[in-house]
Amino acid sequence: MSNKRVVTATINEETAEFLCEPRQTLLEVLRDSLNLTGTKEGCSNGNCGACTVIMNGHAVVSCLVLGVEAEGAEIQTIEGVSCDGSLNEVQSAFLEGAALQCGICTPGFIMQTEALLAEKSNPTEDDIRFYLAGNLCRCTGYDKIVRAVMAAAEQRQVTTG
Amino acid sequence: MSTAEKPSYKVIGTRPIRHDGVDKVTGRALYGADIKLSRMLYGATVRSPHAHAKIVRIDTSQAELMPGVRAVITSEDVPEQGDRVVELGEGAVNMRHLAANVMAREKVLYKGHVVAAVAADDVHTAEEACARIEVEYETLPPVLDLLKAMSADAPILNDDIRTESIGSAPSGSDQQTNVAKHFMFEKGDIKQGFADADIIVERTFDTAMVHQGYIEPHNATAHWNADDKITVWMSTQGTFSARQQTAELLLMPVSSVKVVPMEIGGGFGGKISVYLTPLAALLSKKTGRPVKILMSRTEVFEATGPTPGSHMRVKLGAKSDGTLVAGEAWIAFEAGAYTGSPIGAACMCVFACYDLPNGQVEGFDVCVNKPRTNAYRAPGSTHVAMATETLVDELCEKLKMDPTEFRIKNAAGEGTRRVDGPVYPRIGMVETVEAIRDSEHYKTTLDGKFCGRGVASGFWFNVGLKSSVSATVNSDGTVALVEGSTDIGGTRTSIAMQLAETLGIAAEDVNPVVVDTDSIGYTDITGGSRVTFSTGIAAINAAISIQEQMCQRAAILWETDAENVRYEEGHLVGPSDQRLSFRELAEKLRELGDAVVGYGTSGSETQGGAFGTHCVDVEIDPELGKVQILRYTIAQDAGTAIHPSYVEGQMQGGVVQGIGWALNEEYWYDEQGEMHNPTFLDYRIPTCYDVPMIDTIIVEVPDPQHPYGVRGVGEVPICPPPAAIANAIYDALGIRMTELPMAPHRVLAAYLGRNTDD
Amino acid sequence: MPNVFIPPSMRDLIPDHSVVSMQGKTVRAVIEQLERSYPGAKDRLCSGETLRPGIAVTVDGAITPLGLLQPIGENSELHFLPAIGGG
């Protein structure tokens, strides 16, 4: 296809260069061009949060960001939250707290939780529910997700002192 | 809580980490949309903008000329089905209707109905090509209102439908109708029953069409090979059902289709029927290349299988001492474009919680110009629970009786004959009400001017159906467990735990894997709350077979006969007190004969049914009509909870779906049959900010049909919430809500005493 | 003898009875017996040699996967009901 641009971004701490049509979303680029399929598509209009990634320190729904807007950006996806092959506190808390059923919303919740904990290391239940309200889960009723975020916050405080 | 002396289990009742968990928290798990194959094409569909129209002409020529477009199909490419009704594992389906739902033939019956499909090099080209396909329609008046659709002068959707009922004369009638089915159940003497009643309550209820709202849209990737073998990768609740539907739709032998299950991002009943799979297969046949099609969220809302809207009139009569004596129900469900709503189940569920001596239930399955409805978690039961449980609350109020006391007095139990006829085996309805009565929540007083508390119960059958597993003992003492039940909510683990319990090994020493339809015996859908029950029984049977084989192998080692070897808690014990653990013997298997492989099947067992009772506190904003859930407690009979965390998860998830159905969710249709809210922004499912923690009480009344007493837990938790919330609203404001959803404008209008018309 | 609960829609054929006792060791045998007593009954419940689509038979409260071939006991009770799926 003609009309493609070369975009350079830092994705999961590595430089990535990709070809991108102006109409392609960051979600599409991540999934189809870069094979980072851990970022999920649930609605493609910013309502469900399944495609949440962290871009320049902020949680964004990647379906509402164009691929070309990633030029020069620093992006973290679910594949990059723990680079050393182990699970981080948030991932462990979701796993141990049975905070997922079908799992399709899980990467988005984990990314949003990372953004929350970066902003507030000791969130209240209300903080968590407010901050995660843009991420939809249809299986769990949110109870175990909210508890997992609380557990992750606590664990992270222990590990980071 | 436990209601009986519980056997001591080592694995059952513990909370191991789920086997597929790491893949799902790292993004490595592969869902349907994640598949990528060499030379793969991307599909898109052309969909009707009208709710009811004749297709006059389709011109695909402009689309076919576009660079990058590889194939275009219309109904001419879809095989004619004729008059065939096929059993598809979960009920009989009229194949002509199923085919027409996949691709409209002469008429479109709802907005979003597929009329053509394109395969192209990328999805954007496919979508552009779709826009260039010209379809000429002759619009027809849409039939959107349930009661109007039933009238004799209503426009007819399907000219081949005649009203059918169980045991009625096979129709020789020429009378075309939208009423596809009529059900009737009777017990006792309804007239005498109401004559004997001291108090009679009766109301009419309406509920809106709602969607399952799984987060993952439908997807299908198919490759039609040159040898006419078709491979499908998809998100489905049932690989074998998807295989059969696809094969039947394509008029191919069932063995020519292999369905590879990808991880599934939620289903709740909505991922049983196929939509995209036959289209992807036909596009692949035309191009010789694999074709992937994904639905958009709007397509999911407009053109998959939501659960029906309903209109119900229910009447209950009781003696002044609180004894229920009679019940009558008239229930009509929107089938959508083609017959098949869960009206039969609704009729069987409406009075299922109670010991009702006299009852009559009548139900109708009615075609309207909306998407063809499908199952949604305890299909049909939530609708009728809204009606019955509201009236039970009204009886309690009039009798000045505590709602738990009334329910305990009238609860169905072992030996109760249902209105539809059969007699209950051991069930746990009473125990769930007692659990709520004795709960901290119910014992705590609720204060607050606009606050109220409501209680409601619910029932779902739970089905049995068939499952198969195989299990191989590895030389390191672990077991590879192969199953055909797609895992939506952690069932790999609940099945593995039952195998582990039976073998006396750790859950972590079982490695469960879900495989394609060529690699395991026939297995019915993941639905009907059946997997932990039925696939569990298959796994137990496989484990018993492994026990026998391990005894034989130990007998070889100890130079004795197999009957002299005992299998005890994960150990083999010989006649001279020789003792080897499962792992120790597994390590020696290489020298002890054939591989140890256990097979297990299930299919003849019927579940006893699941009950739940819920208690909810709400607070209502008297200026906005908005209902806030303050506290929620659910008590449910799980028989035996295999993995309590995932039992709680099913209960909590079901409750929150029920809260959405109760308070927010509905399809907004205009007069032309266009849905005005086909996005998650406007079709508003609950967010975590809308709900509190959901407190769970697991009641355990073991089901004697399962070796460990399991009852399915997935569906019944969705049934009571709308009624429980309606009863809480009454407690708070003194108004009886009879229409779902109880959205702010309806609550406010009822509170202000105005008509609730929008 | 096994008891057969008659669906209300068959009352035109079998008036005055909501339950009839019928000899038979399988569901099929009972339906054949019903047909002999009430000609036309079989056609209401069966299509050829299987149950009509959408009809399930329960024997003693349990839906039988064997349909017409399901063996029944001396005092069994039979109901013809809508087939149930699930979500």
PDB file of all heavy atoms in Angstrom, chain A residues 23 31-32 40 42 91 100-102 129 138 142-144, chain B residues 18 25 31 34 36 124 128 212 297 648 665 686 688 691 694:
ATOM      1  N   ARG A  23      -4.403   5.989   8.627  1.00  0.00           N
ATOM      2  CA  ARG A  23      -5.687   5.597   9.218  1.00  0.00           C
ATOM      3  C   ARG A  23      -5.567   4.471  10.234  1.00  0.00           C
ATOM      4  O   ARG A  23      -6.549   4.106  10.869  1.00  0.00           O
ATOM      5  CB  ARG A  23      -6.654   5.181   8.109  1.00  0.00           C
ATOM      6  CG  ARG A  23      -6.219   3.945   7.353  1.00  0.00           C
ATOM      7  CD  ARG A  23      -7.194   3.609   6.258  1.00  0.00           C
ATOM      8  NE  ARG A  23      -6.705   2.569   5.380  1.00  0.00           N
ATOM      9  CZ  ARG A  23      -7.330   2.157   4.288  1.00  0.00           C
ATOM     10  NH1 ARG A  23      -8.471   2.715   3.945  1.00  0.00           N
ATOM     11  NH2 ARG A  23      -6.843   1.201   3.540  1.00  0.00           N
ATOM     12  N   ARG A  31      -0.924  -4.872  17.270  1.00  0.00           N
ATOM     13  CA  ARG A  31      -1.369  -6.256  17.097  1.00  0.00           C
ATOM     14  C   ARG A  31      -0.913  -6.842  15.755  1.00  0.00           C
ATOM     15  O   ARG A  31      -0.368  -7.943  15.703  1.00  0.00           O
ATOM     16  CB  ARG A  31      -2.893  -6.354  17.210  1.00  0.00           C
ATOM     17  CG  ARG A  31      -3.418  -6.096  18.627  1.00  0.00           C
ATOM     18  CD  ARG A  31      -4.948  -6.169  18.661  1.00  0.00           C
ATOM     19  NE  ARG A  31      -5.424  -7.399  18.046  1.00  0.00           N
ATOM     20  CZ  ARG A  31      -5.444  -8.578  18.656  1.00  0.00           C
ATOM     21  NH1 ARG A  31      -5.057  -8.670  19.918  1.00  0.00           N
ATOM     22  NH2 ARG A  31      -5.868  -9.659  18.014  1.00  0.00           N
ATOM     23  N   ASP A  32      -1.150  -6.098  14.677  1.00  0.00           N
ATOM     24  CA  ASP A  32      -0.944  -6.683  13.355  1.00  0.00           C
ATOM     25  C   ASP A  32       0.473  -6.493  12.835  1.00  0.00           C
ATOM     26  O   ASP A  32       1.029  -7.386  12.208  1.00  0.00           O
ATOM     27  CB  ASP A  32      -1.944  -6.096  12.351  1.00  0.00           C
ATOM     28  CG  ASP A  32      -3.370  -6.539  12.664  1.00  0.00           C
ATOM     29  OD1 ASP A  32      -3.526  -7.406  13.550  1.00  0.00           O
ATOM     30  OD2 ASP A  32      -4.312  -6.028  12.044  1.00  0.00           O
ATOM     31  N   LYS A  40      -5.650  -6.187  23.713  1.00  0.00           N
ATOM     32  CA  LYS A  40      -6.868  -6.781  23.149  1.00  0.00           C
ATOM     33  C   LYS A  40      -7.816  -5.734  22.590  1.00  0.00           C
ATOM     34  O   LYS A  40      -7.863  -4.598  23.064  1.00  0.00           O
ATOM     35  CB  LYS A  40      -7.587  -7.594  24.235  1.00  0.00           C
ATOM     36  CG  LYS A  40      -6.767  -8.757  24.782  1.00  0.00           C
ATOM     37  CD  LYS A  40      -6.371  -9.723  23.685  1.00  0.00           C
ATOM     38  CE  LYS A  40      -5.502 -10.858  24.201  1.00  0.00           C
ATOM     39  NZ  LYS A  40      -4.916 -11.640  23.112  1.00  0.00           N
ATOM     40  N   GLY A  42     -11.731  -4.811  22.161  1.00  0.00           N
ATOM     41  CA  GLY A  42     -13.074  -5.164  22.624  1.00  0.00           C
ATOM     42  C   GLY A  42     -14.155  -4.325  21.976  1.00  0.00           C
ATOM     43  O   GLY A  42     -15.287  -4.767  21.839  1.00  0.00           O
ATOM     44  N   GLN A  91       0.582  -8.577  38.205  1.00  0.00           N
ATOM     45  CA  GLN A  91       0.255  -9.848  37.542  1.00  0.00           C
ATOM     46  C   GLN A  91       0.050 -10.964  38.569  1.00  0.00           C
ATOM     47  O   GLN A  91      -0.911 -11.738  38.478  1.00  0.00           O
ATOM     48  CB  GLN A  91       1.376 -10.236  36.571  1.00  0.00           C
ATOM     49  CG  GLN A  91       1.473  -9.311  35.366  1.00  0.00           C
ATOM     50  CD  GLN A  91       2.736  -9.566  34.550  1.00  0.00           C
ATOM     51  OE1 GLN A  91       3.832  -9.638  35.106  1.00  0.00           O
ATOM     52  NE2 GLN A  91       2.584  -9.708  33.246  1.00  0.00           N
ATOM     53  N   LEU A 100      -9.421 -13.029  37.340  1.00  0.00           N
ATOM     54  CA  LEU A 100      -9.765 -13.121  35.924  1.00  0.00           C
ATOM     55  C   LEU A 100     -10.569 -14.382  35.696  1.00  0.00           C
ATOM     56  O   LEU A 100     -10.419 -15.360  36.420  1.00  0.00           O
ATOM     57  CB  LEU A 100      -8.506 -13.153  35.052  1.00  0.00           C
ATOM     58  CG  LEU A 100      -7.550 -14.319  35.257  1.00  0.00           C
ATOM     59  CD1 LEU A 100      -6.983 -14.773  33.948  1.00  0.00           C
ATOM     60  CD2 LEU A 100      -6.450 -13.913  36.214  1.00  0.00           C
ATOM     61  N   GLN A 101     -11.459 -14.318  34.726  1.00  0.00           N
ATOM     62  CA  GLN A 101     -12.152 -15.538  34.321  1.00  0.00           C
ATOM     63  C   GLN A 101     -11.811 -15.833  32.868  1.00  0.00           C
ATOM     64  O   GLN A 101     -10.970 -16.661  32.587  1.00  0.00           O
ATOM     65  CB  GLN A 101     -13.645 -15.428  34.584  1.00  0.00           C
ATOM     66  CG  GLN A 101     -13.956 -15.613  36.072  1.00  0.00           C
ATOM     67  CD  GLN A 101     -15.412 -15.424  36.415  1.00  0.00           C
ATOM     68  OE1 GLN A 101     -16.290 -15.741  35.637  1.00  0.00           O
ATOM     69  NE2 GLN A 101     -15.676 -14.889  37.593  1.00  0.00           N
ATOM     70  N   CYS A 102     -12.444 -15.108  31.927  1.00  0.00           N
ATOM     71  CA  CYS A 102     -12.092 -15.379  30.528  1.00  0.00           C
ATOM     72  C   CYS A 102     -10.739 -14.791  30.179  1.00  0.00           C
ATOM     73  O   CYS A 102     -10.067 -15.269  29.289  1.00  0.00           O
ATOM     74  CB  CYS A 102     -13.175 -14.887  29.578  1.00  0.00           C
ATOM     75  SG  CYS A 102     -13.119 -13.124  29.185  1.00  0.00           S
ATOM     76  N   ARG A 129     -11.786   1.896  42.277  1.00  0.00           N
ATOM     77  CA  ARG A 129     -13.013   1.770  41.480  1.00  0.00           C
ATOM     78  C   ARG A 129     -13.172   2.963  40.530  1.00  0.00           C
ATOM     79  O   ARG A 129     -13.629   2.819  39.402  1.00  0.00           O
ATOM     80  CB  ARG A 129     -14.230   1.634  42.396  1.00  0.00           C
ATOM     81  CG  ARG A 129     -14.295   0.271  43.095  1.00  0.00           C
ATOM     82  CD  ARG A 129     -15.599   0.086  43.866  1.00  0.00           C
ATOM     83  NE  ARG A 129     -15.615  -1.198  44.546  1.00  0.00           N
ATOM     84  CZ  ARG A 129     -15.981  -2.355  43.996  1.00  0.00           C
ATOM     85  NH1 ARG A 129     -16.383  -2.383  42.734  1.00  0.00           N
ATOM     86  NH2 ARG A 129     -15.952  -3.473  44.676  1.00  0.00           N
ATOM     87  N   ARG A 138     -16.807  -8.353  32.113  1.00  0.00           N
ATOM     88  CA  ARG A 138     -18.169  -8.878  32.149  1.00  0.00           C
ATOM     89  C   ARG A 138     -18.240 -10.174  32.949  1.00  0.00           C
ATOM     90  O   ARG A 138     -19.321 -10.685  33.188  1.00  0.00           O
ATOM     91  CB  ARG A 138     -18.635  -9.102  30.711  1.00  0.00           C
ATOM     92  CG  ARG A 138     -20.114  -9.357  30.536  1.00  0.00           C
ATOM     93  CD  ARG A 138     -21.007  -8.233  31.033  1.00  0.00           C
ATOM     94  NE  ARG A 138     -22.304  -8.284  30.366  1.00  0.00           N
ATOM     95  CZ  ARG A 138     -23.346  -7.541  30.717  1.00  0.00           C
ATOM     96  NH1 ARG A 138     -23.261  -6.700  31.731  1.00  0.00           N
ATOM     97  NH2 ARG A 138     -24.478  -7.619  30.062  1.00  0.00           N
ATOM     98  N   TYR A 142     -16.084  -7.603  39.239  1.00  0.00           N
ATOM     99  CA  TYR A 142     -15.053  -6.654  39.714  1.00  0.00           C
ATOM    100  C   TYR A 142     -14.541  -6.908  41.124  1.00  0.00           C
ATOM    101  O   TYR A 142     -13.478  -6.405  41.501  1.00  0.00           O
ATOM    102  CB  TYR A 142     -15.547  -5.198  39.620  1.00  0.00           C
ATOM    103  CG  TYR A 142     -15.969  -4.778  38.240  1.00  0.00           C
ATOM    104  CD1 TYR A 142     -17.305  -4.598  37.911  1.00  0.00           C
ATOM    105  CD2 TYR A 142     -15.019  -4.573  37.241  1.00  0.00           C
ATOM    106  CE1 TYR A 142     -17.692  -4.206  36.627  1.00  0.00           C
ATOM    107  CE2 TYR A 142     -15.392  -4.186  35.959  1.00  0.00           C
ATOM    108  CZ  TYR A 142     -16.724  -4.006  35.663  1.00  0.00           C
ATOM    109  OH  TYR A 142     -17.107  -3.624  34.406  1.00  0.00           O
ATOM    110  N   ASP A 143     -15.260  -7.650  41.951  1.00  0.00           N
ATOM    111  CA  ASP A 143     -14.874  -7.843  43.351  1.00  0.00           C
ATOM    112  C   ASP A 143     -13.412  -8.275  43.475  1.00  0.00           C
ATOM    113  O   ASP A 143     -12.602  -7.626  44.138  1.00  0.00           O
ATOM    114  CB  ASP A 143     -15.830  -8.890  43.964  1.00  0.00           C
ATOM    115  CG  ASP A 143     -15.607  -9.102  45.447  1.00  0.00           C
ATOM    116  OD1 ASP A 143     -14.499  -9.528  45.822  1.00  0.00           O
ATOM    117  OD2 ASP A 143     -16.549  -8.865  46.241  1.00  0.00           O
ATOM    118  N   LYS A 144     -13.083  -9.374  42.772  1.00  0.00           N
ATOM    119  CA  LYS A 144     -11.730  -9.927  42.930  1.00  0.00           C
ATOM    120  C   LYS A 144     -10.685  -9.061  42.217  1.00  0.00           C
ATOM    121  O   LYS A 144      -9.511  -9.072  42.603  1.00  0.00           O
ATOM    122  CB  LYS A 144     -11.699 -11.374  42.436  1.00  0.00           C
ATOM    123  CG  LYS A 144     -12.547 -12.281  43.337  1.00  0.00           C
ATOM    124  CD  LYS A 144     -12.392 -13.740  42.998  1.00  0.00           C
ATOM    125  CE  LYS A 144     -13.432 -14.597  43.706  1.00  0.00           C
ATOM    126  NZ  LYS A 144     -13.545 -14.360  45.161  1.00  0.00           N
TER     127      LYS A 144
ATOM    128  N   ARG B  18      -4.772 -21.119  38.707  1.00  0.00           N
ATOM    129  CA  ARG B  18      -5.300 -21.759  37.495  1.00  0.00           C
ATOM    130  C   ARG B  18      -4.182 -22.009  36.481  1.00  0.00           C
ATOM    131  O   ARG B  18      -3.243 -21.219  36.354  1.00  0.00           O
ATOM    132  CB  ARG B  18      -6.423 -20.936  36.884  1.00  0.00           C
ATOM    133  CG  ARG B  18      -6.010 -19.558  36.484  1.00  0.00           C
ATOM    134  CD  ARG B  18      -7.206 -18.724  36.117  1.00  0.00           C
ATOM    135  NE  ARG B  18      -7.669 -19.002  34.769  1.00  0.00           N
ATOM    136  CZ  ARG B  18      -8.811 -18.508  34.289  1.00  0.00           C
ATOM    137  NH1 ARG B  18      -9.590 -17.752  35.053  1.00  0.00           N
ATOM    138  NH2 ARG B  18      -9.182 -18.760  33.062  1.00  0.00           N
ATOM    139  N   VAL B  25      -2.195 -13.420  32.270  1.00  0.00           N
ATOM    140  CA  VAL B  25      -1.749 -12.158  32.871  1.00  0.00           C
ATOM    141  C   VAL B  25      -0.500 -11.597  32.177  1.00  0.00           C
ATOM    142  O   VAL B  25      -0.050 -10.504  32.509  1.00  0.00           O
ATOM    143  CB  VAL B  25      -1.497 -12.273  34.400  1.00  0.00           C
ATOM    144  CG1 VAL B  25      -2.775 -12.643  35.126  1.00  0.00           C
ATOM    145  CG2 VAL B  25      -0.369 -13.236  34.713  1.00  0.00           C
ATOM    146  N   TYR B  31      -6.215 -15.619  21.714  1.00  0.00           N
ATOM    147  CA  TYR B  31      -7.657 -15.586  21.486  1.00  0.00           C
ATOM    148  C   TYR B  31      -7.916 -15.622  19.970  1.00  0.00           C
ATOM    149  O   TYR B  31      -6.986 -15.539  19.166  1.00  0.00           O
ATOM    150  CB  TYR B  31      -8.255 -14.324  22.114  1.00  0.00           C
ATOM    151  CG  TYR B  31      -8.187 -14.340  23.626  1.00  0.00           C
ATOM    152  CD1 TYR B  31      -6.982 -14.125  24.294  1.00  0.00           C
ATOM    153  CD2 TYR B  31      -9.318 -14.610  24.400  1.00  0.00           C
ATOM    154  CE1 TYR B  31      -6.915 -14.169  25.682  1.00  0.00           C
ATOM    155  CE2 TYR B  31      -9.259 -14.646  25.784  1.00  0.00           C
ATOM    156  CZ  TYR B  31      -8.047 -14.428  26.430  1.00  0.00           C
ATOM    157  OH  TYR B  31      -7.977 -14.485  27.792  1.00  0.00           O
ATOM    158  N   ASP B  34      -6.286 -13.282  17.574  1.00  0.00           N
ATOM    159  CA  ASP B  34      -4.819 -13.234  17.587  1.00  0.00           C
ATOM    160  C   ASP B  34      -4.183 -14.146  16.545  1.00  0.00           C
ATOM    161  O   ASP B  34      -2.967 -14.127  16.364  1.00  0.00           O
ATOM    162  CB  ASP B  34      -4.284 -13.612  18.981  1.00  0.00           C
ATOM    163  CG  ASP B  34      -4.827 -12.704  20.072  1.00  0.00           C
ATOM    164  OD1 ASP B  34      -5.197 -11.559  19.743  1.00  0.00           O
ATOM    165  OD2 ASP B  34      -4.899 -13.142  21.233  1.00  0.00           O
ATOM    166  N   LYS B  36      -2.801 -15.649  13.187  1.00  0.00           N
ATOM    167  CA  LYS B  36      -2.235 -15.077  11.972  1.00  0.00           C
ATOM    168  C   LYS B  36      -1.661 -16.235  11.163  1.00  0.00           C
ATOM    169  O   LYS B  36      -0.844 -16.993  11.668  1.00  0.00           O
ATOM    170  CB  LYS B  36      -1.135 -14.089  12.353  1.00  0.00           C
ATOM    171  CG  LYS B  36      -0.877 -13.029  11.324  1.00  0.00           C
ATOM    172  CD  LYS B  36       0.151 -12.064  11.870  1.00  0.00           C
ATOM    173  CE  LYS B  36      -0.088 -10.663  11.373  1.00  0.00           C
ATOM    174  NZ  LYS B  36       0.910  -9.728  11.904  1.00  0.00           N
ATOM    175  N   HIS B 124      -9.063  -2.941   5.762  1.00  0.00           N
ATOM    176  CA  HIS B 124      -9.548  -1.644   5.273  1.00  0.00           C
ATOM    177  C   HIS B 124     -10.044  -1.761   3.830  1.00  0.00           C
ATOM    178  O   HIS B 124     -11.074  -1.192   3.469  1.00  0.00           O
ATOM    179  CB  HIS B 124      -8.442  -0.595   5.377  1.00  0.00           C
ATOM    180  CG  HIS B 124      -7.953  -0.415   6.772  1.00  0.00           C
ATOM    181  ND1 HIS B 124      -8.717   0.162   7.745  1.00  0.00           N
ATOM    182  CD2 HIS B 124      -6.796  -0.781   7.371  1.00  0.00           C
ATOM    183  CE1 HIS B 124      -8.041   0.164   8.890  1.00  0.00           C
ATOM    184  NE2 HIS B 124      -6.876  -0.407   8.688  1.00  0.00           N
ATOM    185  N   GLU B 128     -13.804  -1.106   2.482  1.00  0.00           N
ATOM    186  CA  GLU B 128     -14.096  -0.196   1.358  1.00  0.00           C
ATOM    187  C   GLU B 128     -14.876  -0.920   0.274  1.00  0.00           C
ATOM    188  O   GLU B 128     -15.800  -0.361  -0.324  1.00  0.00           O
ATOM    189  CB  GLU B 128     -12.791   0.356   0.777  1.00  0.00           C
ATOM    190  CG  GLU B 128     -12.213   1.486   1.603  1.00  0.00           C
ATOM    191  CD  GLU B 128     -10.840   1.918   1.086  1.00  0.00           C
ATOM    192  OE1 GLU B 128     -10.536   1.669  -0.101  1.00  0.00           O
ATOM    193  OE2 GLU B 128     -10.090   2.487   1.889  1.00  0.00           O
ATOM    194  N   GLN B 212     -25.541 -10.257  26.114  1.00  0.00           N
ATOM    195  CA  GLN B 212     -24.585 -10.910  27.024  1.00  0.00           C
ATOM    196  C   GLN B 212     -23.405  -9.989  27.315  1.00  0.00           C
ATOM    197  O   GLN B 212     -22.843 -10.026  28.407  1.00  0.00           O
ATOM    198  CB  GLN B 212     -24.056 -12.213  26.395  1.00  0.00           C
ATOM    199  CG  GLN B 212     -25.104 -13.285  26.157  1.00  0.00           C
ATOM    200  CD  GLN B 212     -25.794 -13.117  24.817  1.00  0.00           C
ATOM    201  OE1 GLN B 212     -25.639 -12.105  24.132  1.00  0.00           O
ATOM    202  NE2 GLN B 212     -26.589 -14.094  24.439  1.00  0.00           N
ATOM    203  N   ARG B 297     -17.892  -4.071  17.500  1.00  0.00           N
ATOM    204  CA  ARG B 297     -18.807  -4.068  18.654  1.00  0.00           C
ATOM    205  C   ARG B 297     -20.241  -3.802  18.211  1.00  0.00           C
ATOM    206  O   ARG B 297     -21.182  -4.416  18.717  1.00  0.00           O
ATOM    207  CB  ARG B 297     -18.327  -3.029  19.679  1.00  0.00           C
ATOM    208  CG  ARG B 297     -19.195  -2.874  20.901  1.00  0.00           C
ATOM    209  CD  ARG B 297     -19.445  -4.171  21.666  1.00  0.00           C
ATOM    210  NE  ARG B 297     -18.250  -4.921  21.986  1.00  0.00           N
ATOM    211  CZ  ARG B 297     -18.263  -6.104  22.591  1.00  0.00           C
ATOM    212  NH1 ARG B 297     -19.404  -6.676  22.954  1.00  0.00           N
ATOM    213  NH2 ARG B 297     -17.129  -6.735  22.840  1.00  0.00           N
ATOM    214  N   GLU B 648     -17.045 -18.439  43.724  1.00  0.00           N
ATOM    215  CA  GLU B 648     -17.386 -17.062  44.125  1.00  0.00           C
ATOM    216  C   GLU B 648     -17.390 -16.144  42.918  1.00  0.00           C
ATOM    217  O   GLU B 648     -18.264 -15.284  42.777  1.00  0.00           O
ATOM    218  CB  GLU B 648     -16.350 -16.539  45.138  1.00  0.00           C
ATOM    219  CG  GLU B 648     -16.381 -17.232  46.490  1.00  0.00           C
ATOM    220  CD  GLU B 648     -15.064 -17.079  47.255  1.00  0.00           C
ATOM    221  OE1 GLU B 648     -14.171 -16.335  46.790  1.00  0.00           O
ATOM    222  OE2 GLU B 648     -14.929 -17.730  48.293  1.00  0.00           O
ATOM    223  N   GLU B 665     -29.323  -1.845  31.370  1.00  0.00           N
ATOM    224  CA  GLU B 665     -29.140  -2.369  30.024  1.00  0.00           C
ATOM    225  C   GLU B 665     -30.454  -2.532  29.277  1.00  0.00           C
ATOM    226  O   GLU B 665     -31.423  -3.059  29.816  1.00  0.00           O
ATOM    227  CB  GLU B 665     -28.410  -3.715  30.105  1.00  0.00           C
ATOM    228  CG  GLU B 665     -27.015  -3.586  30.691  1.00  0.00           C
ATOM    229  CD  GLU B 665     -26.307  -4.919  30.821  1.00  0.00           C
ATOM    230  OE1 GLU B 665     -26.530  -5.795  29.978  1.00  0.00           O
ATOM    231  OE2 GLU B 665     -25.538  -5.073  31.787  1.00  0.00           O
ATOM    232  N   PRO B 686     -22.437  -2.581  33.756  1.00  0.00           N
ATOM    233  CA  PRO B 686     -21.872  -2.041  34.992  1.00  0.00           C
ATOM    234  C   PRO B 686     -20.349  -1.904  34.928  1.00  0.00           C
ATOM    235  O   PRO B 686     -19.657  -2.769  34.395  1.00  0.00           O
ATOM    236  CB  PRO B 686     -22.267  -3.073  36.050  1.00  0.00           C
ATOM    237  CG  PRO B 686     -23.454  -3.759  35.492  1.00  0.00           C
ATOM    238  CD  PRO B 686     -23.238  -3.794  34.003  1.00  0.00           C
ATOM    239  N   CYS B 688     -16.823  -0.952  37.482  1.00  0.00           N
ATOM    240  CA  CYS B 688     -16.500  -1.250  38.879  1.00  0.00           C
ATOM    241  C   CYS B 688     -16.923  -0.100  39.805  1.00  0.00           C
ATOM    242  O   CYS B 688     -17.057  -0.297  41.006  1.00  0.00           O
ATOM    243  CB  CYS B 688     -15.028  -1.592  39.054  1.00  0.00           C
ATOM    244  SG  CYS B 688     -13.890  -0.316  38.558  1.00  0.00           S
ATOM    245  N   VAL B 691     -20.719  -0.682  41.373  1.00  0.00           N
ATOM    246  CA  VAL B 691     -21.100  -1.780  42.261  1.00  0.00           C
ATOM    247  C   VAL B 691     -20.186  -1.863  43.474  1.00  0.00           C
ATOM    248  O   VAL B 691     -19.032  -1.437  43.405  1.00  0.00           O
ATOM    249  CB  VAL B 691     -21.082  -3.138  41.496  1.00  0.00           C
ATOM    250  CG1 VAL B 691     -22.191  -3.187  40.470  1.00  0.00           C
ATOM    251  CG2 VAL B 691     -19.732  -3.389  40.846  1.00  0.00           C
ATOM    252  N   ILE B 694     -19.264  -7.886  46.289  1.00  0.00           N
ATOM    253  CA  ILE B 694     -20.421  -8.782  46.309  1.00  0.00           C
ATOM    254  C   ILE B 694     -20.086  -9.917  47.285  1.00  0.00           C
ATOM    255  O   ILE B 694     -19.205 -10.746  47.012  1.00  0.00           O
ATOM    256  CB  ILE B 694     -20.696  -9.364  44.902  1.00  0.00           C
ATOM    257  CG1 ILE B 694     -20.787  -8.248  43.830  1.00  0.00           C
ATOM    258  CG2 ILE B 694     -21.948 -10.240  44.913  1.00  0.00           C
ATOM    259  CD1 ILE B 694     -21.913  -7.269  43.999  1.00  0.00           C
TER     260      ILE B 694
END
